[in-house]
Amino acid sequence: MDVGSPLNPLPQGGRGQGEGENKARYVRAMFTGIARRYDLMNALMTGGRHQAWRRAAARLAEPQAGGLALDLATGTGDLALALLAETAVRRVIGLDFSDGMLQVGREKLLRKDPAGRVSLVAGDALLLPFADKTFACVASAFLLRNLAHLEPGLAEMRRVTQAGGRVVALEITQPTLWGFRHLFGWYFHRLVPGLGAVVSGNREAYTYLPRSVERFLPPAELARLMERVGLRDVTCRRLGLGTVTLHAGTA
Ligand SMILES: C[S@@+](CC[C@H](N)C(=O)[O-])C[C@H]1O[C@@H](n2cnc3c(N)ncnc32)[C@H](O)[C@@H]1O
């Protein structure tokens, strides 16, 4: 199976090790390829709303004052910065497996985090290089549908979160509002790949994007999976007319 085809993105979980590795390789190379234009594309695609959604995710993570937070799959570091701005966290570790995204993040942090409270590290979300219960909260934005194995990824998030700490995941979802769902589908599947081709020079990455959302679990099913890995008080809240959903649970 060619997981490199945007027409056939691999769904998460339940597939063999080899296919998982292929998907991880594809996703890592894709994000490194679009890293320089990633932030601009986010701003254009969402009409600038993406940062408000990350701020909402950070507030929901509500780390204990003075605690250490993890921004899992930090990319260019925006959720890590939102955690600093919106909460009383002391420090944030941002982890990602794309060197290209981390490099853009490092340059951004030189400007936006002069006190050096965010540390960026290279690593795999499926094999976190942290001891159990290291973090006051674990937050992620737009990671889950990119994971080769979803349930093990959620279990890792829970494992490194302190008891009582929050695990938060912001993810793109398909709106349910009749009419708007069709309009959004047309925008996402027809316009966004063209915009990606023009702005980032990578139509394939922005074809993979809507297809990966289409193949991902609906919020209620993701909530059940979060409970299955042991998270409590799981909630989902739709934002942006249902185009994104904030998932949260307590470790
Ligand atoms: C859509 S971007 C989101 C970046 C950032 N969180 C944001 O809010 O813009 C997805 C990120 O997940 C990272 N990623 C995907 N799978 C990963 C994994 N298994 N381990 C670490 N990072 C991963 C990619 O490299 C990419 O930077």
Side-chain angles (χ1 to χ4, degrees):
M1 176 182 162
D2 176 14
V3 293
S5 165
L7 298 178
N8 200 13
L10 184 69
Q12 295 83 3
R15 297 289 186 106
Q17 191 71 17
E19 287 178 354
E21 280 165 19
N22 282 347
K23 176 166 179 175
R25 229 188 336 268
Y26 175 74
V27 166
R28 188 188 304 123
M30 181 184 74
F31 280 106
T32 291
I34 62 172
R36 291 277 154 200
R37 291 298 172 95
Y38 175 81
D39 287 350
L40 176 60
M41 270 302 288
N42 277 349
L44 292 173
M45 282 188 299
T46 67
R49 293 300 298 155
H50 62 126
Q51 299 293 23
W53 297 331
R54 287 193 195 84
R55 286 196 294 273
R59 286 193 294 272
L60 194 60
E62 53 181 19
Q64 189 191 3
L68 176 67
L70 175 64
D71 172 14
L72 190 57
T74 188
T76 62
D78 282 339
L79 181 58
L81 287 167
L83 283 160
L84 282 190
E86 299 292 322
T87 75
V89 78
R90 177 176 47 94
R91 290 185 57 81
V92 183
I93 291 183
L95 177 140
D96 203 284
F97 72 1
S98 159
D99 292 338
M101 294 290 272
L102 286 174
Q103 184 51 36
V104 174
R106 278 189 198 98
E107 292 163 19
K108 182 187 293 179
L109 292 175
L110 287 177
R111 287 177 277 116
K112 300 200 168 178
D113 176 34
R117 290 167 65 206
V118 178
S119 308
L120 297 185
V121 301
D124 188 344
L126 296 179
L127 205 64
L128 291 174
F130 307 113
D132 295 359
K133 305 184 192 318
T134 299
F135 297 97
C137 71
V138 173
S140 74
F142 313 122
L143 162 69
L144 296 185
R145 78 200 132 74
N146 292 302
L147 284 177
H149 302 287
L150 180 57
E151 192 168 342
L154 293 169
E156 273 295 83
M157 293 168 86
R158 176 180 174 258
R159 179 184 69 78
V160 300
T161 308
Q162 290 158 9
R166 306 281 279 162
V167 170
V168 171
L170 174 65
E171 193 45 275
I172 307 173
T173 40
Q174 303 198 60
T176 50
L177 212 59
W178 195 87
F180 181 66
R181 183 183 172 96
H182 296 284
L183 190 64
F184 179 76
W186 176 81
Y187 164 75
F188 215 30
H189 285 268
R190 303 270 170 199
L191 282 191
V192 163
L195 189 65
V198 172
V199 174
S200 80
N202 192 330
R203 176 183 290 271
E204 185 173 318
Y206 289 94
T207 302
Y208 163 90
L209 168 64
R211 295 206 183 248
S212 65
V213 173
E214 198 172 48
R215 299 287 296 268
F216 194 56
L217 301 181
E221 280 183 43
L222 179 58
R224 274 196 289 280
L225 216 50
M226 290 173 74
E227 284 168 350
R228 213 154 76 191
V229 302
L231 293 166
R232 296 177 287 111
D233 307 325
V234 172
T235 59
C236 347
R237 181 158 68 97
R238 287 183 173 265
L239 303 173
L241 293 174
T243 57
V244 290
T245 298
L246 261 178
H247 304 267
T250 303

